[in-house]
Amino acid sequence: MNTLNLIESFSEFAKFKNIDRPTMMSILEEVFRTMIRKKFDDDSNFDVIINPDNGDLEIWRNREIVDDESEDIWDHDKIPLSEAQKIEPDFEVGEEVSEQVKLEDFGRRAVLMARQTLIQRVKDLERDNLYQKYKDMVGEIIAGEVYQVWGRETLVLDQEENELSLPKGEQIPKDRYRKGDTIRAVVHRVDVLNGAPKIILSRAAPAFLERLMEQEVPEIADGLITIKNIVREPGERAKVAVESYDDRIDPVGACVGMKGSRIHAVVRELENENIDIINYTDNLELYIQRALSPARISTMKINEQTGRVSVFLKPDQVSLAIGRGGANIKLASRLVGMEIDVFREADSYEEDITLEEFSDEIDQWIIDELKKIGLDTGRAVLAVNKADIVRRTELEEENVEEVFRVIQAEFDGEDEEETPAAEPATDESTETKE
C-alpha cells in the first residue's frame, strides 16, 4: 500500500466517523511517529508533514554532520562526514543534513500495521466520544428509532446511528414496538463492557416522568415549582410530590392544567399510567395522609425509630388505601420513606383479647413476632391478611394459619356464649396490605 492510498483511505474512514481535522492529523502523526521509534529508536530528530486532503506524507530525518573519528557518530541525531558526503559531496562538519525517509523503507508489514492502528485509534476515539456524550446526558430525554426488537431488549438508533439499548426491565409493560417506530426514553446510565460503552435507556425510571412533566409544565422548567419526589409502578400508577416557591401558584393545579390538558399528555406517553400529584409538606403526618389519597385516614401512629407507620381506616377506606394489587400503599410507603401498615378500625362494640392471653396455645416467640409489626390483640391479627403477616414477619405460613385458627376459635366461642340463637359467624378475610 502506497502513501497516497493509506492517507486517503484513513481520511475517508475518519470523515465517515465524524472525526474533525485536527484530531485526525494528531492521530496520523502519532501513528507514523510510532513507526519511526520502532525502526530508529528515537523520533525527536524527525519531521512528519501530512496533508490529508491530497494524501501527501513526508518524513524528514535531520542529523548533524560530525567527523568520522568523533565519539558522537553513534548518536541518533549525528551522521559521519563520509556518509553525509554520499548524499551531497560538498557537505562539511557542523552542517545539518535533512534526508527524506520513504514509507516503503519501513517495510510492507509495518505499513499494514500502521493502517490497522489508524483504524483502531479512530474506533477508540469514537467509543470515547460516545461515552463522554451520553455520560453528560444521563437523566435527559432522547428520541430514537427502533432498529431491532429482541426478547430481553430493544435496540434503538439515535440521530447519529449510535446503538442504544432499552432493556425489557426498563420498558413500560404495555409498550409494544416494531422496527421503524420512534420512541422517547431517558438516558438511564452508561455502562462500559469490554472497553465499549453501552448506553442504557429507560421508560420506567422516575426520571422519565420527571422530564416529561418539565416539558409539559413551564413552571417546573422555570423553577417556580419543584418536584420533591417521584415513585412509580410503570404503566400502572405513579405518585408525584410537588412544591411551589410562589404562594400565588397552586403546584397541583399547575401540573394538572386546564381540564387536565398538561397531565394528559404525560399520561398518554406513559401508556395511561395513573398519576397522583400531591402537595409536598414537611408535616409528616399530613404528608402520609396525602400520600395515601384517595383513602381517608382515621388515626395513625408514627414510629420514626423503626421507620414504620400504623394507619387505621374505616372498613370502606381500606381497599382505597391499598389500591389495585397493593400499588397505592406500596407507592405511598416509598414516597414518604416509611413502611406503612394499614389496619381496619375495629367496631366500638367489639371486645378484644390481648395476644398474651393466648400464650397457652401460641408459642411466645410467635406472639413476639406479631407484636413487632404492631399486632398485640386478637382482632388486630384477624384484620390483617395472612400473606401480609408472612411477608412482614419471620413466621411461616403454617404458623400464621394456626394463629388464625386459635384466635378465630376463641372469638367464635365468645359469640356463641353471648348469642346462642345466632348463626355461626362467617369468616370474612379482608386484605389490608399486599
Side-chain angles (χ1 to χ4, degrees), residues 172 206 208-210 212-213 216-217 227 229-242 252 255-256 260 262-278 291 293-294 328 331:
I172 296 173
F208 185 49
L209 173 53
E210 184 175 357
L212 289 174
M213 291 187 65
E216 298 296 332
V217 184
I227 297 176
N229 196 10
I230 293 179
V231 290
R232 294 180 64 194
E233 288 291 332
E236 295 295 331
R237 192 162 195 160
K239 287 185 180 289
V240 184
V242 294
V252 175
C255 292
V256 172
R262 291 176 173 178
I263 201 64
H264 283 169
V266 178
V267 169
R268 284 194 298 271
E269 179 67 41
L270 300 181
E271 301 291 350
N272 294 321
E273 188 171 308
N274 187 359
I275 302 175
D276 297 335
I277 301 177
I278 67 171
S293 63
N328 193 56
L331 291 176

Side-chain angles (χ1 to χ4, degrees), residues 101-114:
V101 180
K102 299 294 185 182
L103 192 62
E104 292 76 11
D105 296 340
F106 293 93
R108 178 177 177 80
R109 184 176 179 180
V111 174
L112 291 175
M113 188 175 294

Side-chain angles (χ1 to χ4, degrees), residues 4 16 44-45 68 72 82 102 174 229 250 263 302 323-324 332 334 336 357 372 392:
L4 180 62
F16 177 73
S44 59
N45 60 314
D68 289 355
D72 299 334
S82 58
K102 299 294 185 182
K174 298 176 185 177
N229 196 10
D250 171 21
I263 201 64
I302 301 174
R324 187 173 63 180
R334 287 160 51 192
V336 302
E357 295 186 40
K372 287 180 182 178
R392 292 160 53 195

